[in-house]
Amino acid sequence: MLNTNPTNTAQFSPSLTLPAGSRECAGRNTMDTLKLLGEQLKPQRRVVHTGDTIYQAGERFGNLYILNSGFFKIVNLSADGREQVVGLKFRGDWLGFDGIAGGRYACDAVAMDTGEIWVVSYEALLATCAVQPELLQLLHAAMSREIAHDRDSLMSVCTLPADARVADFLRYWAQTLAERGMRGDEITLRMTRAEIGNYLGMTLESVSRALSRLARDNVIGFATKGRRDVQIPDVGALSAFVQRCLAPAPTMLQ
Amino acid sequence: MLNTNPTNTAQFSPSLTLPAGSRECAGRNTMDTLKLLGEQLKPQRRVVHTGDTIYQAGERFGNLYILNSGFFKIVNLSADGREQVVGLKFRGDWLGFDGIAGGRYACDAVAMDTGEIWVVSYEALLATCAVQPELLQLLHAAMSREIAHDRDSLMSVCTLPADARVADFLRYWAQTLAERGMRGDEITLRMTRAEIGNYLGMTLESVSRALSRLARDNVIGFATKGRRDVQIPDVGALSAFVQRCLAPAPTMLQ
DNA sequence: CGTATGATTGATGCAGATCAAACACAGTGG
DNA sequence: CCACTGTGTTTGATCTGCATCAATCATACG
C-alpha cells in the first residue's frame, strides 16, 4: 500500500489545524445544535447501556437517532458472516441514515457505553422540517459529514501503514471529542484491541504493537492502571507520527 | 486481514440475489426517477468529456449534480499529498453531497467518459422540495444509498483478500449497470489498473494478477482486442469466487 | 516507424498476519 | 482473604500475501 507517494516532503499541518469540513455547520457548535434539536423536535429520550442495540440490520426503518451522550459503534454484517465495524458515533452524531433508502436498516448500532439517545420519527422529522427549514439544514449537514468522514476512513485504510492508521484513529477520536466540548487529552477507549483492529482493517496484535510503539515514542501515554485509557498530550504529535510513517526513507546523510 | 472468520461454511447467496438496500427507493427504477427529476427540477444540462472536473476539493459548495449518463470517479486528496479514489458514480447517482456540511466540496469529481450531468442549485432544490415532498425523499434516498455503499466499500477493503476485492469490485459494477438498465454482462473499465488498485487499496500489479486469475478460472473473459473490456457471463460466478477466496483451507480429502 | 503509456509476468523482500506463550486484571466463590 | 477462572493485552517467533523491483509486451499515436 501507500504506493502513491508524490514528492512527499513532509509538510504536515502544524498541531491543531482542523481539516476543512470538520467544523460544525454554519459555525454552530455541537452543544447549541443539540439544544436546538431538543427544543424543536421534543424527541423521546432513551438511556442506553453498554451492549444495547438501538437498531439492527434488516429491521424496518422508521426512526433516526441523535446521540446526546455516550458512544456507539456501527457494525456491518455480510451475508457470509463477515463482521465489520464501519463507524463510530459520538455526541451530536445522528444514527440510522442507512435505513432511509432501503426501508430497512443496513447495520447494527451498538452502544459502547452508558448514554442517552434521542429517538426521532423520520416522518415526524420531515413534517417539522417543512415548517422549520433550519432543521433540514442540520439534517443534511449531518448526512454530509457522515459521507465525508466515511471517505476519509477509506482513505486511511487504503493509504496508511498499520502504525499510522492507529495514530490517525486516535487523532480523530481526540479531535472529535475536543470539537464537541469534551476532554480530548485523556480518552477512554471503550473498545477492545480486537474491535479497534477490525475497524482499522488489521489484527488485534498489530493494534497492540502500534500502541506500544506510540507510547515508547511518547506520542501517547497510558494511565496508571490498565491500558484502556490513553493520554494524548499533543494531538499534533499524532499527526507528525503519521507523517513520519509515510516518510519514504530515513535518507540519513546528505 | 480477514481475521474474523466465524464458522465459515460457504453459504453464499446464489447468483443474482441483490443485497438488501440495493434496490431503488420505493420500488421506483432509475429511469423513472431520472425522468421525474428532470421534469421537476428542469436542471441545467451539461455535457462532459473524459478528464473534465465537475467540482474540486476546496471549491465553494453551491450545486448538487445528477449523473444522467457517463461515469465519474470521486477523488480525495489529503493535506500531505496522498490521493485516493473514494467512489465511483454511475447513471442516476448524485454528486456533491460532501460539500453541504462544510460549505466547500471535500473531493474532486472527475469524468471518466463522455456523459451528461444535470446541475441543480442546492438552494433551488430545497425550495422545490418544500412544495414537492417526493423530491426530498429522492434526495434523502440518494444520500442514504451513498452512506450504505461507502460502508460496504470499507468492509470490502478490510475483510477481503486482494483477489476477492477485485472480483467484488467487478460484481458491484456489473450489478449496478444492470440495476440501471444497462448491459452488465460486458463492461468497459475506463480506469487504468493503477486507478482500480488505488480504489481497492492495492497495487496495479495485484489488480493485473487478480484479473488474469479470474480470466484463467473463466469467471470473466476479455474482449477480442485490448484488456479494457471485461465480459461477465455470470455475476453469480464472481460472488462464488469471492467465497472461494474466503474459504479457510482447501480441506482436501474427508 | 519510433515513442509513450499501460499491461503482464517473474523474482525478491517485507509489513503485517498467524501462531504461541506469558501476563494483567476483574470477578466470583470458598 | 486468597485461589481460581475468564477475558483482554502484550510480546516474541515464524510464515505469507502482497508490495516492490524489473523486464517484456501490447496498443495508440505523432
PDB file of all heavy atoms in Angstrom, chain C residues 11-22:
ATOM      1  P    DA C  11      10.821 -16.461 -12.020  1.00  0.00           P
ATOM      2  OP1  DA C  11      11.912 -17.285 -12.602  1.00  0.00           O
ATOM      3  OP2  DA C  11       9.740 -17.081 -11.235  1.00  0.00           O
ATOM      4  O5'  DA C  11      11.482 -15.317 -11.126  1.00  0.00           O
ATOM      5  C5'  DA C  11      12.378 -14.366 -11.728  1.00  0.00           C
ATOM      6  C4'  DA C  11      13.028 -13.528 -10.636  1.00  0.00           C
ATOM      7  O4'  DA C  11      12.098 -12.482 -10.231  1.00  0.00           O
ATOM      8  C3'  DA C  11      13.384 -14.288  -9.368  1.00  0.00           C
ATOM      9  O3'  DA C  11      14.597 -13.741  -8.850  1.00  0.00           O
ATOM     10  C2'  DA C  11      12.196 -14.027  -8.451  1.00  0.00           C
ATOM     11  C1'  DA C  11      11.805 -12.601  -8.844  1.00  0.00           C
ATOM     12  N9   DA C  11      10.387 -12.277  -8.686  1.00  0.00           N
ATOM     13  C8   DA C  11       9.311 -13.067  -8.973  1.00  0.00           C
ATOM     14  N7   DA C  11       8.138 -12.489  -8.751  1.00  0.00           N
ATOM     15  C5   DA C  11       8.494 -11.228  -8.293  1.00  0.00           C
ATOM     16  C6   DA C  11       7.716 -10.122  -7.885  1.00  0.00           C
ATOM     17  N6   DA C  11       6.376 -10.118  -7.877  1.00  0.00           N
ATOM     18  N1   DA C  11       8.376  -9.018  -7.489  1.00  0.00           N
ATOM     19  C2   DA C  11       9.713  -9.019  -7.497  1.00  0.00           C
ATOM     20  N3   DA C  11      10.545  -9.999  -7.852  1.00  0.00           N
ATOM     21  C4   DA C  11       9.863 -11.085  -8.249  1.00  0.00           C
ATOM     22  P    DT C  12      15.214 -14.311  -7.474  1.00  0.00           P
ATOM     23  OP1  DT C  12      16.677 -14.185  -7.586  1.00  0.00           O
ATOM     24  OP2  DT C  12      14.573 -15.602  -7.142  1.00  0.00           O
ATOM     25  O5'  DT C  12      14.737 -13.220  -6.427  1.00  0.00           O
ATOM     26  C5'  DT C  12      15.204 -11.875  -6.564  1.00  0.00           C
ATOM     27  C4'  DT C  12      14.600 -11.018  -5.466  1.00  0.00           C
ATOM     28  O4'  DT C  12      13.170 -10.919  -5.644  1.00  0.00           O
ATOM     29  C3'  DT C  12      14.818 -11.540  -4.039  1.00  0.00           C
ATOM     30  O3'  DT C  12      15.463 -10.510  -3.294  1.00  0.00           O
ATOM     31  C2'  DT C  12      13.422 -11.852  -3.540  1.00  0.00           C
ATOM     32  C1'  DT C  12      12.565 -10.910  -4.365  1.00  0.00           C
ATOM     33  N1   DT C  12      11.141 -11.283  -4.536  1.00  0.00           N
ATOM     34  C2   DT C  12      10.174 -10.342  -4.272  1.00  0.00           C
ATOM     35  O2   DT C  12      10.435  -9.215  -3.898  1.00  0.00           O
ATOM     36  N3   DT C  12       8.891 -10.759  -4.469  1.00  0.00           N
ATOM     37  C4   DT C  12       8.475 -12.011  -4.893  1.00  0.00           C
ATOM     38  O4   DT C  12       7.288 -12.268  -5.034  1.00  0.00           O
ATOM     39  C5   DT C  12       9.533 -12.964  -5.154  1.00  0.00           C
ATOM     40  C7   DT C  12       9.199 -14.346  -5.618  1.00  0.00           C
ATOM     41  C6   DT C  12      10.795 -12.555  -4.970  1.00  0.00           C
ATOM     42  P    DG C  13      15.813 -10.710  -1.746  1.00  0.00           P
ATOM     43  OP1  DG C  13      17.171 -10.167  -1.495  1.00  0.00           O
ATOM     44  OP2  DG C  13      15.461 -12.094  -1.343  1.00  0.00           O
ATOM     45  O5'  DG C  13      14.766  -9.707  -1.078  1.00  0.00           O
ATOM     46  C5'  DG C  13      14.581  -8.410  -1.649  1.00  0.00           C
ATOM     47  C4'  DG C  13      13.581  -7.633  -0.793  1.00  0.00           C
ATOM     48  O4'  DG C  13      12.238  -8.114  -1.070  1.00  0.00           O
ATOM     49  C3'  DG C  13      13.792  -7.790   0.703  1.00  0.00           C
ATOM     50  O3'  DG C  13      13.557  -6.522   1.302  1.00  0.00           O
ATOM     51  C2'  DG C  13      12.760  -8.848   1.098  1.00  0.00           C
ATOM     52  C1'  DG C  13      11.633  -8.609   0.109  1.00  0.00           C
ATOM     53  N9   DG C  13      10.870  -9.796  -0.301  1.00  0.00           N
ATOM     54  C8   DG C  13      11.371 -11.046  -0.618  1.00  0.00           C
ATOM     55  N7   DG C  13      10.442 -11.894  -0.978  1.00  0.00           N
ATOM     56  C5   DG C  13       9.253 -11.162  -0.876  1.00  0.00           C
ATOM     57  C6   DG C  13       7.921 -11.549  -1.141  1.00  0.00           C
ATOM     58  O6   DG C  13       7.493 -12.638  -1.519  1.00  0.00           O
ATOM     59  N1   DG C  13       7.033 -10.489  -0.919  1.00  0.00           N
ATOM     60  C2   DG C  13       7.398  -9.238  -0.503  1.00  0.00           C
ATOM     61  N2   DG C  13       6.417  -8.363  -0.332  1.00  0.00           N
ATOM     62  N3   DG C  13       8.641  -8.867  -0.261  1.00  0.00           N
ATOM     63  C4   DG C  13       9.512  -9.871  -0.464  1.00  0.00           C
ATOM     64  P    DC C  14      13.839  -6.309   2.868  1.00  0.00           P
ATOM     65  OP1  DC C  14      14.744  -5.143   2.951  1.00  0.00           O
ATOM     66  OP2  DC C  14      14.186  -7.610   3.492  1.00  0.00           O
ATOM     67  O5'  DC C  14      12.425  -5.855   3.433  1.00  0.00           O
ATOM     68  C5'  DC C  14      11.560  -5.061   2.639  1.00  0.00           C
ATOM     69  C4'  DC C  14      10.151  -5.177   3.196  1.00  0.00           C
ATOM     70  O4'  DC C  14       9.537  -6.403   2.759  1.00  0.00           O
ATOM     71  C3'  DC C  14      10.100  -5.211   4.735  1.00  0.00           C
ATOM     72  O3'  DC C  14       8.984  -4.465   5.127  1.00  0.00           O
ATOM     73  C2'  DC C  14       9.875  -6.698   5.031  1.00  0.00           C
ATOM     74  C1'  DC C  14       8.980  -7.070   3.876  1.00  0.00           C
ATOM     75  N1   DC C  14       8.919  -8.506   3.523  1.00  0.00           N
ATOM     76  C2   DC C  14       7.690  -9.031   3.085  1.00  0.00           C
ATOM     77  O2   DC C  14       6.705  -8.296   3.022  1.00  0.00           O
ATOM     78  N3   DC C  14       7.625 -10.344   2.736  1.00  0.00           N
ATOM     79  C4   DC C  14       8.705 -11.107   2.812  1.00  0.00           C
ATOM     80  N4   DC C  14       8.587 -12.388   2.458  1.00  0.00           N
ATOM     81  C5   DC C  14       9.966 -10.595   3.253  1.00  0.00           C
ATOM     82  C6   DC C  14      10.023  -9.294   3.599  1.00  0.00           C
ATOM     83  P    DA C  15       9.043  -3.427   6.363  1.00  0.00           P
ATOM     84  OP1  DA C  15       9.695  -2.203   5.903  1.00  0.00           O
ATOM     85  OP2  DA C  15       9.562  -4.161   7.535  1.00  0.00           O
ATOM     86  O5'  DA C  15       7.493  -3.101   6.594  1.00  0.00           O
ATOM     87  C5'  DA C  15       6.679  -2.795   5.468  1.00  0.00           C
ATOM     88  C4'  DA C  15       5.292  -3.393   5.644  1.00  0.00           C
ATOM     89  O4'  DA C  15       5.343  -4.825   5.475  1.00  0.00           O
ATOM     90  C3'  DA C  15       4.663  -3.140   7.011  1.00  0.00           C
ATOM     91  O3'  DA C  15       3.283  -2.879   6.802  1.00  0.00           O
ATOM     92  C2'  DA C  15       4.921  -4.437   7.771  1.00  0.00           C
ATOM     93  C1'  DA C  15       4.902  -5.476   6.650  1.00  0.00           C
ATOM     94  N9   DA C  15       5.800  -6.618   6.831  1.00  0.00           N
ATOM     95  C8   DA C  15       7.032  -6.616   7.427  1.00  0.00           C
ATOM     96  N7   DA C  15       7.633  -7.792   7.401  1.00  0.00           N
ATOM     97  C5   DA C  15       6.730  -8.611   6.742  1.00  0.00           C
ATOM     98  C6   DA C  15       6.770  -9.970   6.385  1.00  0.00           C
ATOM     99  N6   DA C  15       7.795 -10.781   6.652  1.00  0.00           N
ATOM    100  N1   DA C  15       5.704 -10.479   5.731  1.00  0.00           N
ATOM    101  C2   DA C  15       4.680  -9.672   5.447  1.00  0.00           C
ATOM    102  N3   DA C  15       4.524  -8.373   5.720  1.00  0.00           N
ATOM    103  C4   DA C  15       5.603  -7.905   6.382  1.00  0.00           C
ATOM    104  P    DG C  16       2.349  -2.426   8.007  1.00  0.00           P
ATOM    105  OP1  DG C  16       1.376  -1.479   7.446  1.00  0.00           O
ATOM    106  OP2  DG C  16       3.176  -2.061   9.163  1.00  0.00           O
ATOM    107  O5'  DG C  16       1.571  -3.779   8.345  1.00  0.00           O
ATOM    108  C5'  DG C  16       0.885  -4.446   7.315  1.00  0.00           C
ATOM    109  C4'  DG C  16       0.611  -5.874   7.708  1.00  0.00           C
ATOM    110  O4'  DG C  16       1.839  -6.638   7.788  1.00  0.00           O
ATOM    111  C3'  DG C  16      -0.069  -6.076   9.066  1.00  0.00           C
ATOM    112  O3'  DG C  16      -1.032  -7.084   8.890  1.00  0.00           O
ATOM    113  C2'  DG C  16       1.071  -6.580   9.936  1.00  0.00           C
ATOM    114  C1'  DG C  16       1.770  -7.461   8.929  1.00  0.00           C
ATOM    115  N9   DG C  16       3.107  -7.901   9.284  1.00  0.00           N
ATOM    116  C8   DG C  16       4.090  -7.197   9.936  1.00  0.00           C
ATOM    117  N7   DG C  16       5.187  -7.891  10.110  1.00  0.00           N
ATOM    118  C5   DG C  16       4.906  -9.125   9.530  1.00  0.00           C
ATOM    119  C6   DG C  16       5.707 -10.287   9.409  1.00  0.00           C
ATOM    120  O6   DG C  16       6.855 -10.460   9.793  1.00  0.00           O
ATOM    121  N1   DG C  16       5.025 -11.325   8.753  1.00  0.00           N
ATOM    122  C2   DG C  16       3.737 -11.233   8.279  1.00  0.00           C
ATOM    123  N2   DG C  16       3.235 -12.308   7.674  1.00  0.00           N
ATOM    124  N3   DG C  16       2.987 -10.144   8.379  1.00  0.00           N
ATOM    125  C4   DG C  16       3.627  -9.144   9.009  1.00  0.00           C
ATOM    126  P    DA C  17      -2.302  -7.303   9.840  1.00  0.00           P
ATOM    127  OP1  DA C  17      -3.409  -6.566   9.243  1.00  0.00           O
ATOM    128  OP2  DA C  17      -1.896  -7.073  11.250  1.00  0.00           O
ATOM    129  O5'  DA C  17      -2.584  -8.873   9.654  1.00  0.00           O
ATOM    130  C5'  DA C  17      -2.710  -9.393   8.342  1.00  0.00           C
ATOM    131  C4'  DA C  17      -2.449 -10.887   8.350  1.00  0.00           C
ATOM    132  O4'  DA C  17      -1.045 -11.120   8.590  1.00  0.00           O
ATOM    133  C3'  DA C  17      -3.215 -11.656   9.426  1.00  0.00           C
ATOM    134  O3'  DA C  17      -3.760 -12.843   8.859  1.00  0.00           O
ATOM    135  C2'  DA C  17      -2.163 -11.941  10.497  1.00  0.00           C
ATOM    136  C1'  DA C  17      -0.866 -11.977   9.702  1.00  0.00           C
ATOM    137  N9   DA C  17       0.283 -11.448  10.452  1.00  0.00           N
ATOM    138  C8   DA C  17       0.435 -10.192  10.986  1.00  0.00           C
ATOM    139  N7   DA C  17       1.580 -10.001  11.591  1.00  0.00           N
ATOM    140  C5   DA C  17       2.241 -11.213  11.448  1.00  0.00           C
ATOM    141  C6   DA C  17       3.518 -11.662  11.868  1.00  0.00           C
ATOM    142  N6   DA C  17       4.378 -10.904  12.547  1.00  0.00           N
ATOM    143  N1   DA C  17       3.862 -12.928  11.557  1.00  0.00           N
ATOM    144  C2   DA C  17       3.001 -13.688  10.872  1.00  0.00           C
ATOM    145  N3   DA C  17       1.779 -13.375  10.414  1.00  0.00           N
ATOM    146  C4   DA C  17       1.463 -12.116  10.741  1.00  0.00           C
ATOM    147  P    DT C  18      -4.705 -13.781   9.727  1.00  0.00           P
ATOM    148  OP1  DT C  18      -5.552 -14.483   8.737  1.00  0.00           O
ATOM    149  OP2  DT C  18      -5.285 -13.002  10.837  1.00  0.00           O
ATOM    150  O5'  DT C  18      -3.697 -14.837  10.365  1.00  0.00           O
ATOM    151  C5'  DT C  18      -2.880 -15.629   9.523  1.00  0.00           C
ATOM    152  C4'  DT C  18      -1.937 -16.452  10.373  1.00  0.00           C
ATOM    153  O4'  DT C  18      -0.940 -15.600  10.971  1.00  0.00           O
ATOM    154  C3'  DT C  18      -2.607 -17.192  11.538  1.00  0.00           C
ATOM    155  O3'  DT C  18      -2.285 -18.565  11.409  1.00  0.00           O
ATOM    156  C2'  DT C  18      -2.004 -16.558  12.786  1.00  0.00           C
ATOM    157  C1'  DT C  18      -0.664 -16.076  12.267  1.00  0.00           C
ATOM    158  N1   DT C  18      -0.024 -14.945  12.994  1.00  0.00           N
ATOM    159  C2   DT C  18       1.279 -15.086  13.423  1.00  0.00           C
ATOM    160  O2   DT C  18       1.920 -16.114  13.258  1.00  0.00           O
ATOM    161  N3   DT C  18       1.796 -13.991  14.071  1.00  0.00           N
ATOM    162  C4   DT C  18       1.161 -12.784  14.308  1.00  0.00           C
ATOM    163  O4   DT C  18       1.742 -11.875  14.885  1.00  0.00           O
ATOM    164  C5   DT C  18      -0.203 -12.702  13.832  1.00  0.00           C
ATOM    165  C7   DT C  18      -0.985 -11.447  14.043  1.00  0.00           C
ATOM    166  C6   DT C  18      -0.723 -13.776  13.205  1.00  0.00           C
ATOM    167  P    DC C  19      -3.001 -19.650  12.355  1.00  0.00           P
ATOM    168  OP1  DC C  19      -3.177 -20.864  11.532  1.00  0.00           O
ATOM    169  OP2  DC C  19      -4.135 -19.021  13.042  1.00  0.00           O
ATOM    170  O5'  DC C  19      -1.854 -19.939  13.433  1.00  0.00           O
ATOM    171  C5'  DC C  19      -0.572 -20.323  12.991  1.00  0.00           C
ATOM    172  C4'  DC C  19       0.406 -20.378  14.159  1.00  0.00           C
ATOM    173  O4'  DC C  19       0.779 -19.044  14.552  1.00  0.00           O
ATOM    174  C3'  DC C  19      -0.147 -21.057  15.427  1.00  0.00           C
ATOM    175  O3'  DC C  19       0.816 -21.992  15.871  1.00  0.00           O
ATOM    176  C2'  DC C  19      -0.338 -19.902  16.390  1.00  0.00           C
ATOM    177  C1'  DC C  19       0.795 -18.973  15.963  1.00  0.00           C
ATOM    178  N1   DC C  19       0.647 -17.555  16.352  1.00  0.00           N
ATOM    179  C2   DC C  19       1.733 -16.867  16.876  1.00  0.00           C
ATOM    180  O2   DC C  19       2.804 -17.465  17.028  1.00  0.00           O
ATOM    181  N3   DC C  19       1.588 -15.565  17.223  1.00  0.00           N
ATOM    182  C4   DC C  19       0.411 -14.961  17.051  1.00  0.00           C
ATOM    183  N4   DC C  19       0.324 -13.674  17.401  1.00  0.00           N
ATOM    184  C5   DC C  19      -0.716 -15.646  16.509  1.00  0.00           C
ATOM    185  C6   DC C  19      -0.564 -16.936  16.175  1.00  0.00           C
ATOM    186  P    DA C  20       0.475 -22.964  17.104  1.00  0.00           P
ATOM    187  OP1  DA C  20       1.185 -24.239  16.801  1.00  0.00           O
ATOM    188  OP2  DA C  20      -0.988 -22.960  17.348  1.00  0.00           O
ATOM    189  O5'  DA C  20       1.196 -22.259  18.332  1.00  0.00           O
ATOM    190  C5'  DA C  20       2.540 -21.829  18.197  1.00  0.00           C
ATOM    191  C4'  DA C  20       2.968 -21.078  19.443  1.00  0.00           C
ATOM    192  O4'  DA C  20       2.588 -19.696  19.346  1.00  0.00           O
ATOM    193  C3'  DA C  20       2.353 -21.611  20.753  1.00  0.00           C
ATOM    194  O3'  DA C  20       3.405 -21.831  21.679  1.00  0.00           O
ATOM    195  C2'  DA C  20       1.434 -20.492  21.194  1.00  0.00           C
ATOM    196  C1'  DA C  20       2.161 -19.271  20.625  1.00  0.00           C
ATOM    197  N9   DA C  20       1.336 -18.086  20.458  1.00  0.00           N
ATOM    198  C8   DA C  20       0.069 -17.993  19.941  1.00  0.00           C
ATOM    199  N7   DA C  20      -0.408 -16.769  19.919  1.00  0.00           N
ATOM    200  C5   DA C  20       0.614 -16.001  20.466  1.00  0.00           C
ATOM    201  C6   DA C  20       0.737 -14.626  20.721  1.00  0.00           C
ATOM    202  N6   DA C  20      -0.221 -13.736  20.442  1.00  0.00           N
ATOM    203  N1   DA C  20       1.895 -14.196  21.279  1.00  0.00           N
ATOM    204  C2   DA C  20       2.857 -15.076  21.557  1.00  0.00           C
ATOM    205  N3   DA C  20       2.860 -16.394  21.365  1.00  0.00           N
ATOM    206  C4   DA C  20       1.698 -16.796  20.801  1.00  0.00           C
ATOM    207  P    DA C  21       3.116 -22.739  22.984  1.00  0.00           P
ATOM    208  OP1  DA C  21       4.037 -23.877  22.886  1.00  0.00           O
ATOM    209  OP2  DA C  21       1.660 -22.922  23.158  1.00  0.00           O
ATOM    210  O5'  DA C  21       3.630 -21.788  24.160  1.00  0.00           O
ATOM    211  C5'  DA C  21       4.811 -21.023  23.968  1.00  0.00           C
ATOM    212  C4'  DA C  21       4.745 -19.793  24.843  1.00  0.00           C
ATOM    213  O4'  DA C  21       3.831 -18.839  24.259  1.00  0.00           O
ATOM    214  C3'  DA C  21       4.239 -20.069  26.262  1.00  0.00           C
ATOM    215  O3'  DA C  21       5.230 -19.670  27.189  1.00  0.00           O
ATOM    216  C2'  DA C  21       2.975 -19.242  26.377  1.00  0.00           C
ATOM    217  C1'  DA C  21       3.179 -18.169  25.312  1.00  0.00           C
ATOM    218  N9   DA C  21       1.962 -17.573  24.787  1.00  0.00           N
ATOM    219  C8   DA C  21       0.855 -18.217  24.297  1.00  0.00           C
ATOM    220  N7   DA C  21      -0.100 -17.401  23.896  1.00  0.00           N
ATOM    221  C5   DA C  21       0.414 -16.135  24.148  1.00  0.00           C
ATOM    222  C6   DA C  21      -0.111 -14.841  23.947  1.00  0.00           C
ATOM    223  N6   DA C  21      -1.309 -14.613  23.423  1.00  0.00           N
ATOM    224  N1   DA C  21       0.670 -13.797  24.304  1.00  0.00           N
ATOM    225  C2   DA C  21       1.884 -14.048  24.834  1.00  0.00           C
ATOM    226  N3   DA C  21       2.490 -15.213  25.066  1.00  0.00           N
ATOM    227  C4   DA C  21       1.685 -16.231  24.697  1.00  0.00           C
ATOM    228  P    DA C  22       5.057 -20.000  28.742  1.00  0.00           P
ATOM    229  OP1  DA C  22       6.350 -20.562  29.198  1.00  0.00           O
ATOM    230  OP2  DA C  22       3.786 -20.714  28.956  1.00  0.00           O
ATOM    231  O5'  DA C  22       4.918 -18.545  29.372  1.00  0.00           O
ATOM    232  C5'  DA C  22       5.794 -17.519  28.924  1.00  0.00           C
ATOM    233  C4'  DA C  22       5.190 -16.181  29.268  1.00  0.00           C
ATOM    234  O4'  DA C  22       4.020 -15.953  28.457  1.00  0.00           O
ATOM    235  C3'  DA C  22       4.748 -16.070  30.731  1.00  0.00           C
ATOM    236  O3'  DA C  22       5.313 -14.893  31.278  1.00  0.00           O
ATOM    237  C2'  DA C  22       3.227 -15.998  30.635  1.00  0.00           C
ATOM    238  C1'  DA C  22       3.031 -15.366  29.266  1.00  0.00           C
ATOM    239  N9   DA C  22       1.728 -15.597  28.647  1.00  0.00           N
ATOM    240  C8   DA C  22       1.106 -16.798  28.435  1.00  0.00           C
ATOM    241  N7   DA C  22      -0.072 -16.699  27.847  1.00  0.00           N
ATOM    242  C5   DA C  22      -0.224 -15.329  27.660  1.00  0.00           C
ATOM    243  C6   DA C  22      -1.248 -14.563  27.092  1.00  0.00           C
ATOM    244  N6   DA C  22      -2.365 -15.100  26.584  1.00  0.00           N
ATOM    245  N1   DA C  22      -1.081 -13.225  27.061  1.00  0.00           N
ATOM    246  C2   DA C  22       0.039 -12.701  27.578  1.00  0.00           C
ATOM    247  N3   DA C  22       1.083 -13.316  28.141  1.00  0.00           N
ATOM    248  C4   DA C  22       0.886 -14.645  28.148  1.00  0.00           C
TER     249       DA C  22
END
